Amino acid sequence: MAKKRILSGMRPTGKLHLGNLHGALENWVRLQDEYECYYFVADWHALTTDYEQTEGIRDNVWEMVIDWLSVGLDPQKSTLFVQSAIKEHAELFMLFSMITPIAWLERNPTYKEQIQEMSQKDLHMFGFLGYPVLQAADILMYKAHGVPVGVDQLPHVELTREIARRFNHLYGVVFPEPATILTEVPKLLGIDGRKMSKSYHNCIYLSDPPEVIRRQVSLMVTDTMRPRKKDPGDPDRCLAFPYHRLYLPPETLDRITAECRSATLGCVECKKILAEALVEYLAPIRQRRRDYLEHPKKVQAIIEDGNARARTQAQQTMAEVREAVKI
Ligand code: TRP
């Protein structure tokens, strides 16, 4: 039986961090065996919020693709491509914009939130309002059955379904309605205890060398109600403990849990154990990253091959779309 197709995209934020790895990428890697996967770099989407600062986008695309490959996205299994290389997305976006009521976009919760959150940027732009229409074009272009995303993207996938339904109703059935494949995200905070985010400078990057990993881990906020080593700690209060859970074998985890509670293991020592486990965990990723950086032509060829595969599919869909719209 043919595998079902899924598609997901990521804005090119540059080098990826542990939040990206455990929040999305690991899941993408896992899905590769079960589904026919399309994964793309949403570089046009970066313009919706960063239209004033575009000089970093190309480098960010490059860094991100290298991280994707290094964590195990496999160009043999998945189609990896860059949105702006497939101009058909722009055409489909334009056609969808003709049939998408403005009210659907204005009530989009992420629209309202981000305009507030990013008040330092003027986001009262047509492209920013229409962002989910572009996302719908990304998804429907490949007739994806499923879209693996985090909970923040739910409204966009819902809007995609609404646009598909409206298109099919007006012009005849071309698009399947995609389902959301909700990604369970482990609660990993940045080293300062806030959400891990590039703009907070609180990340650990997949590309960080061991000495940087050690420093960052040593700065992690732990159990704030345990100021001294002789105070008994509580791993459930410790902001670093979710990391311990991810990277330490169960025996070690049990031991440090007991020693934290009995105040025999201090946070400094405990974080050293974590740092070493993390350095080791990231070692193969770091190695593959180095290999790709040394062979940029190989990376270029992977991207071009993925673009070509995506383009073939996009051209097919657009032929059907033009036929349906009668244009
Ligand atoms: N909006 C997504 C984000 O900000 C990125 C994205 C663009 C996407 N197009 C997509 C995700 C299509 C899934 C499918 O993370």
Side-chain angles (χ1 to χ4, degrees):
M1 206 181 75
K3 285 181 179 171
K4 282 196 170 174
R5 184 177 293 171
I6 61 169
L7 171 136
S8 198
M10 224 181 251
R11 285 161 170 254
T13 49
K15 293 184 295 182
L16 297 177
H17 53 65
L18 292 177
N20 303 126
L21 175 64
H22 300 296
L25 278 180
E26 270 184 342
N27 195 43
W28 287 15
V29 171
R30 202 169 333 113
L31 292 166
Q32 289 184 115
D33 294 313
E34 198 180 332
Y35 295 96
E36 181 193 3
C37 300
Y38 281 71
Y39 296 130
F40 76 100
V41 183
D43 56 347
W44 279 338
H45 283 266
L47 294 173
T48 59
T49 50
D50 295 330
Y51 57 86
E52 278 185 309
Q53 278 196 328
T54 56
E55 60 285 333
I57 296 180
R58 280 190 189 150
D59 285 347
N60 284 350
V61 170
W62 185 252
E63 291 283 346
M64 196 165 86
V65 170
I66 288 182
D67 276 338
W68 282 8
L69 296 169
S70 305
V71 301
L73 287 190
D74 180 350
Q76 309 284 335
K77 294 181 187 165
S78 301
T79 301
L80 310 177
F81 68 99
V82 177
Q83 181 185 38
S84 63
I86 318 295
K87 309 302 179 204
E88 284 78 3
H89 288 229
E91 186 181 352
L92 191 56
F93 166 59
M94 179 272 294
L95 292 174
F96 285 164
S97 78
M98 303 295 171
I99 61 168
T100 306
I102 296 169
W104 289 6
L105 301 173
E106 283 173 338
R107 69 166 187 240
N108 170 22
T110 58
Y111 173 69
K112 293 186 255 181
E113 267 164 39
Q114 293 201 15
I115 281 203
Q116 297 238 315
E117 259 175 44
M118 302 194 201
S119 54
Q120 75 286 10
K121 293 179 189 168
D122 184 1
L123 295 183
H124 294 90
M125 299 297 147
F126 173 61
F128 184 68
L129 177 67
Y131 175 125
V133 183
L134 179 57
Q135 185 161 350
D138 301 334
I139 297 168
L140 297 174
M141 182 70 81
Y142 302 93
K143 302 189 178 180
H145 300 101
V147 186
V149 282
V151 68
D152 62 308
Q153 296 292 314
L154 281 180
H156 299 169
V157 183
E158 183 53 40
L159 204 82
T160 299
R161 277 195 290 273
E162 284 174 308
I163 291 175
R165 231 173 281 146
R166 188 158 162 80
F167 184 101
N168 291 343
H169 171 73
L170 289 170
Y171 306 119
V173 177
V174 173
F175 298 111
E177 286 182 37
T180 307
I181 304 176
L182 201 58
T183 312
E184 286 291 336
V185 183
K187 196 115 189 86
L188 286 186
L189 298 171
I191 58 169
D192 58 357
R194 294 188 289 170
K195 177 182 152 80
M196 190 178 283
S197 159
K198 201 164 196 166
S199 47
Y200 293 159
H201 304 289
N202 63 357
C203 303
I204 298 177
Y205 291 96
L206 306 183
S207 49
D208 280 344
E211 59 280 10
V212 174
I213 296 175
R214 291 191 184 103
R215 191 194 64 220
Q216 294 292 75
V217 172
S218 77
L219 294 173
M220 274 184 181
V221 179
T222 51
D223 176 356
T224 50
M225 291 164 79
R226 187 190 183 196
R228 286 167 305 252
K229 182 181 166 185
K230 65 178 181 358
D231 303 318
D234 181 354
D236 293 332
R237 275 196 314 249
C238 172
L239 300 183
F241 200 67
Y243 287 94
H244 290 80
R245 271 207 197 92
L246 275 173
Y247 304 119
L248 297 180
E251 321 77 79
T252 318
L253 205 59
D254 289 348
R255 178 172 61 79
I256 63 165
T257 299
E259 292 181 358
C260 169
R261 293 216 161 97
S262 63
T264 45
L265 177 68
C267 294
V268 173
E269 278 311 305
C270 187
K271 286 194 284 187
K272 281 189 183 154
I273 298 171
L274 171 63
E276 291 319 307
L278 184 54
V279 165
E280 198 179 317
Y281 179 87
L282 291 177
I285 297 177
R286 245 185 341 266
Q287 179 58 46
R288 283 197 289 271
R289 215 175 178 283
R290 226 171 306 149
D291 292 345
Y292 283 118
L293 283 173
E294 278 168 20
H295 298 99
K297 288 217 174 83
K298 205 158 119 185
V299 179
Q300 198 59 44
I302 289 173
I303 296 175
E304 273 163 24
D305 177 59
N307 287 347
R309 268 148 58 188
R311 194 173 295 120
T312 304
Q313 180 60 52
Q315 284 169 347
Q316 247 176 48
T317 303
M318 286 318 296
E320 284 176 53
V321 166
R322 292 179 206 121
E323 198 50 43
V325 179
K326 300 188 183 64
I327 204 132

